[in-house]
Amino acid sequence: MDTADLEFTPEEMSRMGRVVLEWCVEHVAALAESPSRGDVAGAPDICRSMRESAPEQGRPLEGLLQQLFEEWIPRSFTTPGPGYFAYVPGGGLFPTALADLISNTTNRFSGIFHAAPCLSQVEGNVLDWIRDWMQFPASARGTLTPGGSMSTFAAVVAAREWLTGTDLRNGVLYRSREGHHSIDKAARLAGILGDRIREIAVDDEFRMRPDDLEAAIAADRERGLRPFLVVSSAGTVNTGAVDPLDVIADVCARERLWHHIDGAYGGFFHMVPELRPLLAGLSRADSLSLDPHKGLFLPYGTGALLVRDGEKLAGSHAATAGYLPDPIDDDLYDASRYGPELSRPFRGLRVWLPVQLYGVAKIRAAVAEKRALALQIHESLAQVPGLQIVAPPHLSLFAFRLTWDGATPEQESEATRELVERVTNRGKVMLSGCTIEGRFLARICVLSFRTREAQARTCAEHVAEETAAILAECAT
Ligand SMILES: Cc1ncc(COP(=O)(O)O)c(C=O)c1O
């Protein structure tokens, strides 16, 4: 027996592939009937009991898959399910699973152009599609990343390198109070410490206030610091607020600052021409983070970054070495020139295959439908007595709380938290909440491609019924 041989025979590979596919297809088929939130109770003890040493000898695939699909996967939030309205839904388009199988089986090196020129071009094409959907200019270049956090990180590095050079300690970054925490993390990773991050106030719809931004910039200039970057949001995670992107772009142009937009949640609504006015100013940004694993419905693990002047991205990321081939012509795409990675998965195929199979029109229609469903749920819940909309939907996410005569903020928070829990415990719909200035809000985000009219109606019904029940209890 050849103990060092790791290759499977063609017959073995085919058999293993069929077994895995059967489990996956069965899983997807059962999603609509699966609880919206799997049983995660007692998770720490279960996890501790799972600790194991690596097996010295191999085990059969069937047993491993059974444990995975029957015991471990169900103990999780049902993120790909049609009733998932919590956080920011992803989805998990099936063609991307096929793309990953192809990428991982063929295992070509997509980090540098020379190693797989045509595959690099596929990735270049995908980035050009995204550039066109976002109406960025031809000078834009970008990179596919593991997610929005890494996209923002690369953008902060590019802005820092371009505008502060070696004087990064004086560089100041601005974000709204509602900006995603990944902005601060990206800044820290890029060497911009907490005392150089300014939190800008928001208006009554949780959007960044440009007057506050301008005042903060002026104050920092007075102190001798070097304002360099404003990060605004095309859809915040808490309430879905879209900052006044156009006005912020004006401020940045006037002040000569880099304007980065976090479009991880909301960016792909720009694919739909009728919805573009909701994101006016997005295409003027210096850089834009996107999450195809949210707004393009892909499985987790694909983010994107566009930088208006591609050379500024290359300026902070291009690197080479004596053992690597010569640089290529500028019109060709070399991933390592525009991102922090060298060896990397071939992410381009994750986007390319589903777009080729569905066509853009179908994806665009699905994106538009998610906003329409959010508006429908919002309209229905706005009529429910005792349910107060705190943040209306700018895109497909809105936030609300329960309220009644004489209620204290603490009681409202507690009742709203109870609402999220009760609706989720009914098993068809999963909601999540957020705390803003000490007050708890429930939120509904429609972004799963599997969420259709039926689930939107169920969501509105379950929220309305549980609201009535909780308020009746509060009144007694
Ligand atoms: C508004 C916003 N920005 C950034 C991120 C971070 O993106 P990722 O989780 O892909 O790193 C998220 C994630 O939910 C988000 O909602």
Side-chain angles (χ1 to χ4, degrees):
M1 190 177 160
D2 183 354
T3 52
D5 182 10
L6 301 182
E7 190 70 280
F8 288 105
T9 66
E11 294 72 29
E12 283 168 333
M13 283 191 276
S14 299
R15 189 193 63 77
M16 291 163 81
R18 277 194 302 274
V19 173
V20 170
L21 190 62
E22 256 171 50
W23 275 103
C24 292
V25 169
E26 207 175 293
H27 180 77
V28 170
L31 276 174
E33 296 313 315
S34 306
S36 58
R37 177 177 62 192
D39 182 7
V40 288
D45 284 345
I46 293 168
C47 292
R48 286 185 196 104
S49 76
M50 284 171 61
R51 288 175 184 151
E52 58 178 355
S53 46
E56 198 50 35
Q57 304 301 327
R59 296 169 177 166
L61 179 64
E62 282 75 0
L64 299 174
L65 293 180
Q66 185 165 7
Q67 188 167 46
L68 189 62
F69 277 91
E70 292 185 350
E71 293 177 32
W72 296 344
I73 293 174
R75 289 185 190 281
S76 55
F77 299 168
T78 312
T79 42
Y84 192 73
F85 296 84
Y87 304 98
V88 179
L93 292 179
F94 183 63
T96 290
L98 299 179
D100 280 359
L101 179 63
I102 297 167
S103 297
N104 295 339
T105 308
T106 59
N107 198 31
R108 294 307 199 264
F109 191 88
S110 68
I112 55 166
F113 176 85
H114 292 277
C118 300
L119 304 187
S120 295
Q121 186 60 44
V122 165
E123 197 144 321
N125 289 353
V126 161
L127 285 160
D128 285 352
W129 297 344
I130 297 175
R131 176 199 69 196
D132 291 346
W133 296 333
M134 300 302 138
Q135 297 187 303
F136 264 50
S139 60
R141 291 286 180 279
T143 181
L144 295 177
T145 67
S149 304
M150 288 305 289
S151 304
T152 298
F153 169 53
V156 174
V157 170
R160 187 207 69 194
E161 189 108 340
W162 182 250
L163 288 174
T164 75
T166 53
D167 184 24
L168 64 147
R169 184 64 192 115
N170 278 329
V172 187
L173 177 157
Y174 304 81
R175 62 155 172 83
S176 89
R177 197 193 73 195
E178 288 295 306
H180 195 266
H181 66 282
S182 59
I183 301 168
D184 291 25
K185 189 166 172 176
R188 218 172 344 129
L189 293 173
I192 310 299
L193 304 183
D195 62 343
R196 296 293 188 258
I197 297 175
R198 302 286 178 259
E199 198 172 273
I200 305 302
V202 293
D203 66 13
D204 57 3
E205 287 195 21
F206 304 99
R207 297 171 291 210
M208 186 191 288
R209 284 183 45 180
D211 54 343
D212 204 67
L213 172 65
E214 287 193 280
I217 293 168
D220 281 323
R221 287 207 199 284
E222 278 284 297
R223 281 188 208 111
L225 298 176
R226 186 190 283 242
F228 78 104
L229 173 62
V230 179
V231 182
S232 63
S233 303
T236 60
V237 71
N238 279 344
T239 67
V242 177
D243 287 332
L245 307 176
D246 235 348
V247 184
I248 295 169
D250 289 339
V251 173
C252 289
R254 227 171 15 247
E255 299 283 346
R256 297 185 182 284
L257 307 189
W258 184 295
H259 182 201
H260 176 74
I261 298 181
D262 174 5
Y265 153 56
F268 279 105
F269 287 98
H270 205 268
M271 276 182 85
V272 185
E274 308 84 86
L275 301 183
R276 282 183 189 154
L278 302 172
L279 296 161
L282 178 134
S283 53
R284 293 177 60 199
D286 291 292
S287 54
L288 171 65
S289 295
L290 293 157
D291 256 346
H293 66 210
K294 294 187 176 82
L296 268 192
F297 315 121
L298 262 51
Y300 297 119
T302 306
L305 170 68
L306 289 179
V307 175
R308 171 171 224 85
D309 176 351
E311 284 313 295
K312 292 180 183 167
L313 182 58
S316 54
H317 286 86
T320 191
Y323 74 97
L324 290 174
D326 290 338
I328 49 159
D329 294 346
D330 278 354
D331 65 319
L332 296 170
Y333 184 70
D334 187 313
S336 68
R337 211 170 168 253
Y338 298 105
E341 299 165 296
L342 181 57
S343 301
R344 61 201 286 281
F346 175 34
R347 295 193 187 95
L349 202 65
R350 309 188 102 221
V351 185
W352 185 86
L353 193 60
V355 172
Q356 295 284 359
L357 289 177
Y358 291 111
V360 182
K362 201 162 183 156
I363 296 176
R364 207 187 288 119
V367 173
E369 185 192 62
K370 302 318 145 199
R371 166 156 164 91
L373 293 175
L375 295 188
Q376 188 181 312
I377 303 171
H378 168 258
E379 200 177 310
S380 163
L381 293 185
Q383 316 298 323
V384 172
L387 189 152
Q388 180 192 16
I389 303 292
V390 178
H394 288 181
L395 297 167
S396 72
L397 195 176
F398 63 98
F400 52 97
R401 69 160 77 92
L402 299 192
T403 186
W404 61 97
D405 279 350
T408 64
E410 291 73 26
Q411 287 171 322
E412 287 177 344
S413 287
E414 200 183 319
T416 307
R417 209 182 278 279
E418 178 69 15
L419 174 69
V420 167
E421 208 43 36
R422 286 198 198 180
V423 168
T424 301
N425 284 341
R426 284 173 73 157
K428 290 290 177 198
V429 165
M430 180 171 171
L431 301 187
S432 65
C434 63
T435 300
I436 298 184
E437 293 197 311
R439 301 185 71 173
F440 186 83
L441 302 178
R443 51 192 287 299
I444 286 175
C445 183
V446 187
L447 205 60
S448 168
F449 73 94
R450 293 196 171 99
T451 299
R452 309 299 307 275
E453 178 84 29
Q455 288 82 27
R457 242 182 290 118
T458 303
C459 176
E461 278 165 22
H462 288 196
V463 173
E465 287 165 12
E466 294 302 333
T467 294
I470 292 170
L471 292 180
E473 289 164 29
C474 290
T476 56

